[in-house]
Amino acid sequence: MIHHMIMTADEAIEKLKSGNTRYLLTNNNSGNVSAALRKFTYEHGQHPHAIIVTCSDSRVIPETIFSAGLGELFVIRVAGNVIDDHQLGSIEYAAGHLGSPVVVVLGHTHCGAVDAAINSDPEGYIKFITDEIKLAIGDETDDYKACCLNVKRSVELIEHSLDIQQIEEQEGLRVVGAMYHIEDGSVEFL
C-alpha cells in the first residue's frame, strides 16, 4: 500500500538544505527531540520527510547535518553507502508506507570505504563493500570523483527497483545524490 507523500520532493530537499545551513551556523543540534514530540510520534507514528542512505562513518550524522529532530529522517547507514537488497527493502518501506517524498544517497568526502576500494584489496566481509564500490568507480583514483561516482551508482541501483519506480511515477518520489564535505560540514546536492 502506498501512502501519499507528506510534502513534495522539492519541499523536502529545501528543508534539508535549510537544515544544513542551520547546522553550519550552530554548535549544537537544533532538531526537536522534546518529550512532547516523543509522545506525539509514539501516538501518531513517524512521517519522515526524507530517506537518507549514508555511510556508517561516525563523522556523518544525518540528523545533525540536516538539523533534524525525531521522526524527520529515515536513516539507513552502511559503510560506503552501498546498496543491496536490505537497503532497497528499507527504502521501499519508508517511501511506500511512511510517505517520504525523497531519497538522498549521502556520500562524503574522505570515505574510508572508497579509499579501501581504490588503494587495497581487503579480505573478509569488507570485500563485499569494496567490490560494490569498485563497480561504481572503475579505474578512478581521485578520492572526490570516486566518492561522487559511488553515490551515482547507488542512486541508479535505487531507481532500478520496480517498487521505487512505481512510487516515483504515482507519488512523485525523487532519488537524488549528495556529498557531505566532512572538512567544513556543507552538503552539496549532485
Side-chain angles (χ1 to χ4, degrees):
M1 173 164 71
I2 297 175
H3 288 268
H4 292 289
M5 298 294 162
I6 58 170
M7 63 179 65
T8 68
D10 287 340
E11 290 168 335
I13 291 169
E14 282 307 310
K15 188 169 180 149
L16 292 169
K17 287 179 178 178
S18 67
N20 183 240
T21 299
R22 283 193 309 280
Y23 166 67
L24 294 172
L25 300 174
T26 187
N27 291 322
N28 298 302
N29 185 356
S30 59
N32 183 350
V33 295
S34 67
L37 184 57
R38 287 192 298 273
K39 183 178 188 299
F40 181 84
T41 58
Y42 166 72
E43 292 172 350
H44 301 282
Q46 60 175 321
H47 303 286
H49 63 267
I51 302 161
I52 310 290
V53 181
T54 195
C55 186
S56 299
D57 190 298
S58 63
R59 301 166 292 180
V60 182
I61 308 168
E63 294 84 354
T64 302
I65 292 166
F66 294 115
S67 302
L70 290 173
E72 292 189 86
L73 301 179
F74 190 91
V75 178
I76 302 160
R77 294 180 72 155
V78 60
N81 44 271
V82 296
I83 299 298
D84 69 14
D85 293 348
H86 298 95
Q87 284 78 31
L88 285 173
S90 297
I91 293 164
E92 288 174 0
Y93 168 74
H97 296 279
L98 303 178
S100 302
V102 67
V103 179
V104 179
V105 176
L106 182 65
H108 67 94
T109 55
H110 308 288
C111 180
V114 171
D115 180 68
I118 293 171
N119 296 307
S120 65
D121 194 18
E123 295 181 7
Y125 288 102
I126 296 170
K127 187 170 176 51
F128 288 106
I129 295 167
T130 56
D131 284 354
E132 275 298 313
I133 295 170
K134 286 177 182 181
L135 289 174
I137 66 174
D139 294 330
E140 184 60 64
T141 58
D142 178 85
D143 176 67
Y144 179 74
K145 288 178 185 174
C147 288
C148 289
L149 287 170
N150 190 43
V151 166
K152 182 178 182 227
R153 175 168 163 77
S154 291
V155 167
E156 289 169 356
L157 289 170
I158 294 165
E159 288 188 324
H160 280 91
S161 158
L162 293 176
D163 283 354
I164 296 298
Q165 288 175 9
Q166 180 184 12
I167 298 167
E168 284 177 315
E169 291 168 9
Q170 293 178 0
E171 300 291 331
L173 176 75
R174 283 187 47 206
V175 182
V176 300
M179 188 64 59
Y180 176 63
H181 293 267
I182 63 170
E183 55 274 21
D184 67 11
S186 64
V187 174
E188 169 191 7
F189 282 83
L190 306 173

